[in-house]
Amino acid sequence: MSQATMTRNAIQIKDLDLYYGEKQALKKINMSIEEKTVVALIGPSGCGKSTFLRTLNRMNDMIPGVRIDGTITMHDEDIYNKEIDVEMLRKEVGMVFQAPNPFPKSIYDNVAYGPRVHGQRNRKILDEIVERSLRQAALWEEVKDRLKDRATGLSGGQQQRLCIARTLAVEPEIVLMDEPTSALDPISTAKIEELIQELKQKYTIIIVTHNMQQAARISDRTAFFLNGELVEEDKTERLFSNPKDQRTEDYITGRFG
Amino acid sequence: MKNHSLGTAGRFRRSRSLGRTWENMIPKLLLACALISVFTTLGIIGTLISETTSFFSQVSFGEFFTETKWTALFHESQQHFGVWPLIAGTLLVTGIAAIVAVPIGLASAIYLSEYANPKVSKVLKPILEVLAGVPTIVYGFFALTFVTPLLRGLLPEMGVFNALSAGIVVGIMIIPLIASLSEDAMSAVPKNIREAAYAMGCTKFEVALKVVVPAALSGIIASFVLGLSRAIGETMIVTIAAGSTPQLTLDPTESVQTMTSFIVQAATGDNSFGSTAYGAIYAVGMTLFLFTLVMNLLAQYISRRFKEEY
Ligand SMILES: Nc1ncnc2c1ncn2[C@@H]1O[C@H](COP(=O)(O)OP(=O)(O)O)[C@@H](O)[C@H]1O
Ligand SMILES: [Mg+2]
């Protein structure tokens, strides 16, 4: 069997429109995202990358005045179907934010937070989840002797990896990352990029980045957004070396900001 | 060279010397204003201490803190100065107030900070603040003429003056304070922490209870302590509704006397200056002062010691 028939779609987006009140922020987006790949979303600021990312775990639901048309399918179900339990969806589709946002609790409690909320009470199992998640986030060695320390005392890069561990602890299938390294120094950024390469063995990762080099380094596929439209989506090498759309070419060659 | 740059001499010279003098005096005036309140406080404490000392030259410390009978306003031959009945009355009323105000205040704060849409809370918060400014004598009459009859409908044996009615209304009085201060603490919890919890699949209630409340806990507890210290010092409501029977009891249906309502009773009665009963006002006042001082220090300590860093 060929590669293509073996892979499965994690997410299927069809004719997605999103409005903030009167203002349309996403226009007729169509896109398929394969399982266990890294997809980078690039485009100038304000083009709708974050908005698009947040439609995938329905984080836009909380913003008053948001209206969404079209369908987003995961596991053969439209996630905007009325029957969908948004909390269950978010458990499967985790999210890492632009600025590290640990809870003002201990390192341990940060990672154990999600499993606890979802009903895990067994101390031994929680210990295992915390260790496994911190290892996956490449943070275990640095914090294993001070799990009871407050998370807010960690460096920015460590905090962001802690936030990744906290997301992984609820065992999502998909991890959304919105410019996760934009607030970090180059060394922390490199660590997180390396980590993303590891994580794609197990997770589908969709990452917004304002940094095209980063997209080129870490992603399998790249999607270029402009003014709420998905202009082009392709294999990363191909998109950067041989873009089909003139606007993509202009953007990646730096002809507009 | 030097001469050259002096060509514009005077540009930085002081020219508004009168304004300058004012400018120098302003901090001194402001300091004087600040000192007025410092000296007033010191004066009050000084009077309290000296009057209390002279009281304790007539009544022993041991009697004051171990006896369980308070009959300060009786005839001299029957006077007892055991402060415990007054402390018990105060704690009883405060305890009832806490049972009423802590859960309702916290629930209101959670509602305002997490659930109410901004338009609603913009209306509700000022109402809360107005409620906090209602004169306590109004609350006192509310207790006596509304809450007490209501309670007596349920508990017919209860007397007109009772700790329950006063405690409930004191609790109602401090709800706005607790709600408003707790809401401030909860609103200060950054939005991105809430988002993190939502993104992990928490419901709104889980976010409120397991993220926002713990993150704002120092401020919330400080609001409880401040509210209760207001309850301890509350005077009018208890004077009107709780009666004036100093007794060592924790039965909320009984009439009790608090430290504050004793002071009102003694100060409005005709006790001659210098008598032991007169001195008792200061001794009780001192005890009350220490109680509220400890509560306030505790509130400050809690909010400083457990200050959250986001
Ligand atoms: N909460 C909101 N309410 C109204 N408009 C919004 C909101 N969030 C984003 N927008 C608008 O939607 C457009 C896309 O924003 P966003 O998705 O944040 O872009 P990006 O992440 O690519 O910089 C922008 O024009 C922005 O002003
Ligand atoms: Mg963005």
Side-chain angles (χ1 to χ4, degrees), chain B residues 124-199:
Chain B
L124 279 182
K125 266 216 101 175
I127 292 181
L128 271 186
E129 266 138 38
V130 168
L131 221 56
V134 171
T136 54
I137 188 139
V138 177
Y139 282 106
F141 274 102
F142 172 65
L144 190 64
T145 60
F146 182 77
V147 178
T148 300
L150 208 69
L151 290 173
R152 271 161 48 100
L154 299 170
L155 304 163
E157 305 92 279
M158 197 167 64
V160 173
F161 299 109
N162 59 78
L164 188 57
S165 172
I168 290 172
V169 175
V170 171
I172 293 172
M173 178 198 78
I174 60 175
I175 287 171
L177 179 75
I178 290 180
S180 173
L181 291 178
S182 294
E183 200 262 347
D184 290 345
M186 290 168 61
S187 300
V189 175
K191 181 165 154 265
N192 66 6
I193 292 180
R194 292 187 174 82
E195 279 203 312
Y198 282 122

Side-chain angles (χ1 to χ4, degrees), chain B residues 52-200:
Chain B
T52 305
T53 316
S54 83
F55 170 79
F56 280 119
S57 66
Q58 296 164 55
V59 175
S60 77
F61 230 68
E63 177 179 354
F64 193 70
F65 284 112
T66 55
E67 265 210 41
T68 55
K69 235 174 136 182
W70 182 264
T71 54
L73 304 181
F74 283 17
H75 186 268
E76 261 174 55
S77 58
Q78 295 169 311
Q79 271 178 328
H80 290 273
F81 293 97
V83 77
W84 283 107
L86 297 184
I87 292 180
T90 301
L91 293 183
L92 181 58
V93 169
T94 305
I96 296 166
I99 292 169
V100 172
V102 164
I104 298 180
L106 184 59
S108 318
I110 291 177
Y111 174 75
L112 282 172
S113 135
E114 304 303 304
Y115 287 88
N117 79 39
K119 278 182 208 148
V120 175
S121 48
K122 250 199 204 110
V123 177
L124 279 182
K125 266 216 101 175
I127 292 181
L128 271 186
E129 266 138 38
V130 168
L131 221 56
V134 171
T136 54
I137 188 139
V138 177
Y139 282 106
F141 274 102
F142 172 65
L144 190 64
T145 60
F146 182 77
V147 178
T148 300
L150 208 69
L151 290 173
R152 271 161 48 100
L154 299 170
L155 304 163
E157 305 92 279
M158 197 167 64
V160 173
F161 299 109
N162 59 78
L164 188 57
S165 172
I168 290 172
V169 175
V170 171
I172 293 172
M173 178 198 78
I174 60 175
I175 287 171
L177 179 75
I178 290 180
S180 173
L181 291 178
S182 294
E183 200 262 347
D184 290 345
M186 290 168 61
S187 300
V189 175
K191 181 165 154 265
N192 66 6
I193 292 180
R194 292 187 174 82
E195 279 203 312
Y198 282 122
M200 249 183 292

Side-chain angles (χ1 to χ4, degrees), chain A residues 68-112:
Chain A
I68 291 164
D69 294 328
T71 58
I72 297 179
T73 314
M74 296 180 191
H75 293 291
D76 304 319
E77 269 198 292
D78 179 5
I79 62 169
Y80 281 91
N81 187 313
K82 277 201 186 65
E83 316 268 292
I84 292 289
D85 180 345
V86 181
E87 281 79 39
M88 288 308 292
L89 170 72
R90 292 189 186 139
K91 194 169 170 294
E92 296 300 324
V93 187
M95 187 164 202
V96 177
F97 296 82
Q98 184 164 357
N101 53 358
F103 300 129
K105 297 173 189 272
S106 71
I107 293 169
Y108 184 99
D109 288 341
N110 261 276
V111 183

Side-chain angles (χ1 to χ4, degrees), chain A residues 94-153:
Chain A
M95 187 164 202
V96 177
F97 296 82
Q98 184 164 357
N101 53 358
F103 300 129
K105 297 173 189 272
S106 71
I107 293 169
Y108 184 99
D109 288 341
N110 261 276
V111 183
Y113 181 84
R116 278 181 179 144
V117 164
H118 294 294
Q120 186 54 261
R121 288 271 165 271
N122 184 316
R123 180 73 200 204
K124 243 190 96 213
I125 296 176
L126 283 174
D127 286 351
E128 282 166 21
I129 294 174
V130 168
E131 175 168 352
R132 191 192 61 226
S133 309
L134 286 168
R135 279 188 193 282
Q136 283 185 325
L139 190 59
W140 175 251
E141 292 302 326
E142 288 160 63
V143 300
K144 65 179 177 199
D145 300 322
R146 48 178 174 139
L147 294 174
K148 293 275 161 262
D149 287 8
R150 286 179 83 75
T152 37

